[in-house]
């Protein structure tokens, strides 16, 4: 006789907003529309966004990812190459022009805004202090907007304490868009303490999506036995969400790319799970993780929502007359 085993009860606090921001959505749309308009292959320099699932989904449609433009074979030079959402140094489009490549720039408009802020500081004679993570593509792109030696990268409060600029009274700062709001506030406060004449950018550099995702995680995390953030290990904004959840009171917080990465043997006795997704993580994986919990628990999903995001960034002019259907984006958004 089969005896039904009752599943333990579980509450999943599903954060909203979560997942794709308008800049990521636009970048993926640009690749999809370029494939529809120009046919395969479409080349993409660097991961279009930091998510393996998204990259593999676009590869299946005919995108080819390269790290440098010299990897594009001569016979495909008429095909488009897309620059990633993180932005690129000025040398990259210059290289594309020199090679007679047709390129589509998918840089997030909010990253482009930071580039303009940095260039304005430079134009007005200020040395630029960039708060960000060394080696991140967005930081490489922002530093690459200006001549070498005109930008200093600061990562931590400790970096500020040992920073000795040539002209301490003539500094302007900008930040990477995907940083921890709280950590960055501490770095800025220390910069302002050491350099009272420091000039702020004309508008906050940390993007709305980063701020919104961190705020709702702060609200949802207290009382969570486990907090799961969907995202890639090289995704700055996703890693920050893990840190925010722990600081806000979650007992444990982990970053996973797929449901298969969840260590079910290590979860222990849980009653409440928080669930969010970084700005480059697709909704289909959020759904996959909810279903994985439902298979093991009597799970009830509660929405923890702070704001509704309505931002929408237009794709490149060359692609605006191409129809984008729900089916085109189902590989990341679900049906």
């Amino acid at each position: 006789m089969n005896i039904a085993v009752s599943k333990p009860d579980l509450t999943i606090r599903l954060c909203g907003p979560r997942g794709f921001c308008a800049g990521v959505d636009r970048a993926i749309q640009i690749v999809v529309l370029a494939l529809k308009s120009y046919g395969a292959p479409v080349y993409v320099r660097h991961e279009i966004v930091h998510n393996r699932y998204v990259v593999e989904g676009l590869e299946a449609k005919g995108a080819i990812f390269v790290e440098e433009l010299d990897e594009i074979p001569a016979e495909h030079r008429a095909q488009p190459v897309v620059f990633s959402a993180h932005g690129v140094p000025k040398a990259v489009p210059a290289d594309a022009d020199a090679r007679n490549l047709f390129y589509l720039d998918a840089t997030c408009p909010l990253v482009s805004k930071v580039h303009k802020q940095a260039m304005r500081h430079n134009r007005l004679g200020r040395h630029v202090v960039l708060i960000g993570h060394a080696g991140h593509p967005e930081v490489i792109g922002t530093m690459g907007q200006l001549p070498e030696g005109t930008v200093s990268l600061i990562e931590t409060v400790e970096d500020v304490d040992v920073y000795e600029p040539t002209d301490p009274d003539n500094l302007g700062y900008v930040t990477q868009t995907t940083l921890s709001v709280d950590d960055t506030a501490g770095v800025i406060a220390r910069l302002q303490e050491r350099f009272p004449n420091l000039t702020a950018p004309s508008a906050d550099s940390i993007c709305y999506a980063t701020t919104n995702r961190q705020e709702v995680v702060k609200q949802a995390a207290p009382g969570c036995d486990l907090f799961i953030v969907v995202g890639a290990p090289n995704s700055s904004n996703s890693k920050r969400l893990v840190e925010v959840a722990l600081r806000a009171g979650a007992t444990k917080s982990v970053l996973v790319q797929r449901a298969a990465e969840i260590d079910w043997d290590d979860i222990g006795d849980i009653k409440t799970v928080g669930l969010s997704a970084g700005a480059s993580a697709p909704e289909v994986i959020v759904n996959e993780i909810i279903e994985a919990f439902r298979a093991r628990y009597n799970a009830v999903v509660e929405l923890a929502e702070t704001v509704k995001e309505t931002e929408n960034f237009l794709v490149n002019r060359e692609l605006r007359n191409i129809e984008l259907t729900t089916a085109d984006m189902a590989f990341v958004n679900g049906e």
Side-chain angles (χ1 to χ4, degrees):
M1 183 174 71
N2 292 329
I3 300 173
V5 178
S6 64
K7 299 175 184 175
D9 290 338
L10 181 72
T11 299
I12 299 175
R13 289 183 190 161
L14 181 61
C15 291
R18 65 182 175 278
F20 285 175
C21 61
V24 164
D25 207 28
R26 172 181 178 269
I28 296 167
Q29 287 177 20
I30 287 170
V31 181
V32 170
L33 289 170
L35 284 162
K36 288 186 79 169
S37 181
Y38 302 101
V42 166
Y43 286 84
V44 185
R45 185 188 177 277
H46 190 66
E47 288 186 337
I48 186 70
V49 297
H50 282 158
N51 189 275
R52 197 67 228 153
Y53 182 95
V54 172
V55 167
E56 289 171 0
L58 290 170
E59 284 175 335
K61 289 177 176 286
I64 297 175
F65 289 81
V66 296
E67 283 305 307
E68 298 301 340
L69 300 181
D70 61 10
E71 296 172 51
I72 299 172
E75 64 268 22
H76 287 161
R77 294 230 171 129
Q79 291 298 107
V81 56
V82 180
F83 300 153
S84 83
H86 310 101
V88 294
K90 280 185 173 177
V92 173
D95 185 25
D97 287 335
R99 295 173 186 276
N100 290 319
L101 296 174
F102 166 47
Y103 63 85
L104 296 163
D105 191 352
T107 300
C108 171
L110 298 180
V111 173
S112 296
K113 183 182 80 171
V114 174
H115 291 177
K116 288 171 185 161
Q117 291 169 342
M119 288 188 284
R120 183 173 189 274
H121 282 318
N122 178 258
R123 191 171 65 250
L124 295 173
R126 301 175 193 133
H127 184 83
V128 177
V129 176
L130 170 59
I131 304 167
H133 297 299
H136 190 279
E138 184 185 325
V139 165
I140 293 168
T142 300
M143 294 184 78
Q145 303 305 306
L146 297 172
E148 196 169 339
T150 61
V151 185
S152 296
L153 180 64
I154 295 287
E155 296 196 65
T156 63
V157 170
E158 290 73 25
D159 288 347
V160 180
D161 290 337
V162 297
Y163 178 49
E164 295 296 342
T166 305
D167 185 356
D169 291 324
N170 207 15
L171 302 173
Y173 78 85
V174 294
T175 79
Q176 185 179 330
T177 62
T178 54
L179 300 177
S180 160
V181 175
D182 294 338
D183 286 348
T184 307
V187 174
I188 292 169
R190 186 72 183 113
L191 277 167
Q192 290 170 331
E193 190 179 316
R194 282 206 63 203
F195 310 109
N197 293 325
L198 177 75
T199 302
S202 53
D204 192 4
S205 300
I206 296 178
C207 83
Y208 77 91
T210 299
T211 303
N212 289 348
R213 279 150 192 70
Q214 290 179 19
E215 286 302 316
V216 69
V217 166
K218 284 180 191 175
Q219 183 189 93
C224 284
D225 306 300
L226 172 66
F227 205 103
I228 293 176
V229 176
V230 182
N234 60 341
S235 166
S236 173
N237 78 88
S238 301
K239 291 194 288 189
R240 303 294 81 76
L241 291 178
V242 173
E243 298 164 359
V244 168
L246 286 171
R247 284 184 194 168
T251 304
K252 183 178 181 181
S253 184
V254 295
L255 181 70
V256 301
Q257 297 187 81
R258 301 293 300 270
E261 292 183 8
I262 298 172
D263 187 348
W264 300 103
D265 295 331
D266 189 47
I267 279 181
D269 183 25
I270 56 173
K271 297 284 188 288
T272 305
V273 171
L275 179 58
S276 185
S280 47
E283 187 67 6
V284 289
I285 299 179
V286 174
N287 295 335
E288 174 186 281
I289 287 171
I290 291 171
E291 291 310 310
F293 274 101
R294 282 183 168 147
R296 295 163 175 84
Y297 295 86
N298 179 31
V300 175
V301 177
E302 293 180 353
L303 185 62
E305 188 172 59
T306 48
V307 295
K308 291 260 191 205
E309 290 179 348
T310 57
E311 286 80 4
N312 178 48
F313 298 145
L314 290 175
V315 298
N316 311 64
R317 196 177 305 278
E318 297 94 328
L319 302 173
R320 289 179 197 168
N321 63 339
I322 311 297
E323 184 189 9
L324 185 74
T325 68
T326 303
D328 290 330
M329 298 294 285
F331 75 107
V332 286
N333 294 336
E335 296 297 340

